[in-house]
PDB file of all heavy atoms in Angstrom:
ATOM      1  N   ILE A 149      13.373  11.879   2.294  1.00  0.00           N
ATOM      2  CA  ILE A 149      13.890  10.794   1.439  1.00  0.00           C
ATOM      3  C   ILE A 149      14.148   9.543   2.269  1.00  0.00           C
ATOM      4  O   ILE A 149      13.795   8.430   1.860  1.00  0.00           O
ATOM      5  CB  ILE A 149      15.158  11.264   0.689  1.00  0.00           C
ATOM      6  CG1 ILE A 149      14.757  12.318  -0.346  1.00  0.00           C
ATOM      7  CG2 ILE A 149      15.866  10.105   0.015  1.00  0.00           C
ATOM      8  CD1 ILE A 149      15.912  13.035  -0.985  1.00  0.00           C
ATOM      9  N   ILE A 150      14.724   9.707   3.471  1.00  0.00           N
ATOM     10  CA  ILE A 150      14.958   8.547   4.339  1.00  0.00           C
ATOM     11  C   ILE A 150      13.620   7.846   4.623  1.00  0.00           C
ATOM     12  O   ILE A 150      13.499   6.624   4.504  1.00  0.00           O
ATOM     13  CB  ILE A 150      15.627   8.976   5.667  1.00  0.00           C
ATOM     14  CG1 ILE A 150      17.067   9.422   5.409  1.00  0.00           C
ATOM     15  CG2 ILE A 150      15.624   7.818   6.669  1.00  0.00           C
ATOM     16  CD1 ILE A 150      17.770   9.938   6.649  1.00  0.00           C
ATOM     17  N   GLY A 151      12.605   8.626   4.958  1.00  0.00           N
ATOM     18  CA  GLY A 151      11.298   8.048   5.252  1.00  0.00           C
ATOM     19  C   GLY A 151      10.722   7.301   4.069  1.00  0.00           C
ATOM     20  O   GLY A 151      10.152   6.221   4.225  1.00  0.00           O
ATOM     21  N   MET A 152      10.881   7.869   2.871  1.00  0.00           N
ATOM     22  CA  MET A 152      10.332   7.205   1.684  1.00  0.00           C
ATOM     23  C   MET A 152      11.080   5.919   1.380  1.00  0.00           C
ATOM     24  O   MET A 152      10.479   4.887   1.099  1.00  0.00           O
ATOM     25  CB  MET A 152      10.400   8.154   0.489  1.00  0.00           C
ATOM     26  CG  MET A 152       9.354   9.244   0.568  1.00  0.00           C
ATOM     27  SD  MET A 152       9.250  10.165  -0.944  1.00  0.00           S
ATOM     28  CE  MET A 152       7.875  11.241  -0.548  1.00  0.00           C
ATOM     29  N   VAL A 153      12.420   5.975   1.433  1.00  0.00           N
ATOM     30  CA  VAL A 153      13.194   4.763   1.145  1.00  0.00           C
ATOM     31  C   VAL A 153      12.834   3.682   2.158  1.00  0.00           C
ATOM     32  O   VAL A 153      12.624   2.523   1.811  1.00  0.00           O
ATOM     33  CB  VAL A 153      14.713   5.066   1.166  1.00  0.00           C
ATOM     34  CG1 VAL A 153      15.514   3.777   1.091  1.00  0.00           C
ATOM     35  CG2 VAL A 153      15.083   5.989   0.023  1.00  0.00           C
ATOM     36  N   TYR A 154      12.711   4.083   3.428  1.00  0.00           N
ATOM     37  CA  TYR A 154      12.398   3.106   4.464  1.00  0.00           C
ATOM     38  C   TYR A 154      11.037   2.458   4.222  1.00  0.00           C
ATOM     39  O   TYR A 154      10.875   1.253   4.368  1.00  0.00           O
ATOM     40  CB  TYR A 154      12.403   3.801   5.828  1.00  0.00           C
ATOM     41  CG  TYR A 154      12.242   2.853   6.985  1.00  0.00           C
ATOM     42  CD1 TYR A 154      13.266   1.976   7.307  1.00  0.00           C
ATOM     43  CD2 TYR A 154      11.090   2.819   7.735  1.00  0.00           C
ATOM     44  CE1 TYR A 154      13.139   1.097   8.351  1.00  0.00           C
ATOM     45  CE2 TYR A 154      10.950   1.933   8.793  1.00  0.00           C
ATOM     46  CZ  TYR A 154      11.980   1.076   9.092  1.00  0.00           C
ATOM     47  OH  TYR A 154      11.844   0.200  10.124  1.00  0.00           O
ATOM     48  N   ASN A 155      10.060   3.263   3.819  1.00  0.00           N
ATOM     49  CA  ASN A 155       8.706   2.733   3.624  1.00  0.00           C
ATOM     50  C   ASN A 155       8.545   1.951   2.327  1.00  0.00           C
ATOM     51  O   ASN A 155       7.766   1.013   2.264  1.00  0.00           O
ATOM     52  CB  ASN A 155       7.695   3.879   3.638  1.00  0.00           C
ATOM     53  CG  ASN A 155       7.203   4.188   5.024  1.00  0.00           C
ATOM     54  OD1 ASN A 155       6.616   3.340   5.668  1.00  0.00           O
ATOM     55  ND2 ASN A 155       7.474   5.383   5.502  1.00  0.00           N
ATOM     56  N   PHE A 156       9.246   2.375   1.269  1.00  0.00           N
ATOM     57  CA  PHE A 156       8.947   1.809  -0.050  1.00  0.00           C
ATOM     58  C   PHE A 156       9.990   0.811  -0.545  1.00  0.00           C
ATOM     59  O   PHE A 156       9.789   0.205  -1.599  1.00  0.00           O
ATOM     60  CB  PHE A 156       8.784   2.939  -1.086  1.00  0.00           C
ATOM     61  CG  PHE A 156       7.730   3.955  -0.696  1.00  0.00           C
ATOM     62  CD1 PHE A 156       7.928   5.307  -0.918  1.00  0.00           C
ATOM     63  CD2 PHE A 156       6.535   3.556  -0.115  1.00  0.00           C
ATOM     64  CE1 PHE A 156       6.960   6.250  -0.558  1.00  0.00           C
ATOM     65  CE2 PHE A 156       5.568   4.483   0.252  1.00  0.00           C
ATOM     66  CZ  PHE A 156       5.784   5.825   0.026  1.00  0.00           C
ATOM     67  N   LEU A 157      11.088   0.623   0.198  1.00  0.00           N
ATOM     68  CA  LEU A 157      12.138  -0.300  -0.264  1.00  0.00           C
ATOM     69  C   LEU A 157      11.600  -1.696  -0.621  1.00  0.00           C
ATOM     70  O   LEU A 157      11.946  -2.233  -1.666  1.00  0.00           O
ATOM     71  CB  LEU A 157      13.251  -0.381   0.788  1.00  0.00           C
ATOM     72  CG  LEU A 157      14.515  -1.131   0.399  1.00  0.00           C
ATOM     73  CD1 LEU A 157      15.193  -0.483  -0.790  1.00  0.00           C
ATOM     74  CD2 LEU A 157      15.502  -1.188   1.562  1.00  0.00           C
ATOM     75  N   PRO A 158      10.728  -2.285   0.211  1.00  0.00           N
ATOM     76  CA  PRO A 158      10.223  -3.621  -0.140  1.00  0.00           C
ATOM     77  C   PRO A 158       9.473  -3.657  -1.476  1.00  0.00           C
ATOM     78  O   PRO A 158       9.514  -4.662  -2.178  1.00  0.00           O
ATOM     79  CB  PRO A 158       9.265  -3.950   1.014  1.00  0.00           C
ATOM     80  CG  PRO A 158       9.743  -3.130   2.137  1.00  0.00           C
ATOM     81  CD  PRO A 158      10.252  -1.857   1.529  1.00  0.00           C
ATOM     82  N   PHE A 159       8.806  -2.545  -1.835  1.00  0.00           N
ATOM     83  CA  PHE A 159       8.095  -2.506  -3.117  1.00  0.00           C
ATOM     84  C   PHE A 159       9.057  -2.636  -4.290  1.00  0.00           C
ATOM     85  O   PHE A 159       8.668  -3.036  -5.377  1.00  0.00           O
ATOM     86  CB  PHE A 159       7.324  -1.188  -3.284  1.00  0.00           C
ATOM     87  CG  PHE A 159       6.248  -0.965  -2.267  1.00  0.00           C
ATOM     88  CD1 PHE A 159       5.840   0.306  -1.935  1.00  0.00           C
ATOM     89  CD2 PHE A 159       5.624  -2.041  -1.651  1.00  0.00           C
ATOM     90  CE1 PHE A 159       4.841   0.519  -0.998  1.00  0.00           C
ATOM     91  CE2 PHE A 159       4.637  -1.845  -0.713  1.00  0.00           C
ATOM     92  CZ  PHE A 159       4.244  -0.560  -0.382  1.00  0.00           C
ATOM     93  N   MET A 160      10.307  -2.235  -4.086  1.00  0.00           N
ATOM     94  CA  MET A 160      11.313  -2.371  -5.134  1.00  0.00           C
ATOM     95  C   MET A 160      11.917  -3.767  -5.106  1.00  0.00           C
ATOM     96  O   MET A 160      12.098  -4.400  -6.142  1.00  0.00           O
ATOM     97  CB  MET A 160      12.406  -1.315  -4.922  1.00  0.00           C
ATOM     98  CG  MET A 160      13.504  -1.312  -5.951  1.00  0.00           C
ATOM     99  SD  MET A 160      12.909  -0.857  -7.583  1.00  0.00           S
ATOM    100  CE  MET A 160      12.925   0.921  -7.481  1.00  0.00           C
TER     101      MET A 160
END
Side-chain angles (χ1 to χ4, degrees):
Chain A
I149 291 170
I150 290 177
M152 286 190 176
V153 171
Y154 186 70
N155 271 299
F156 304 140
L157 189 61
F159 297 154
M160 181 65 83

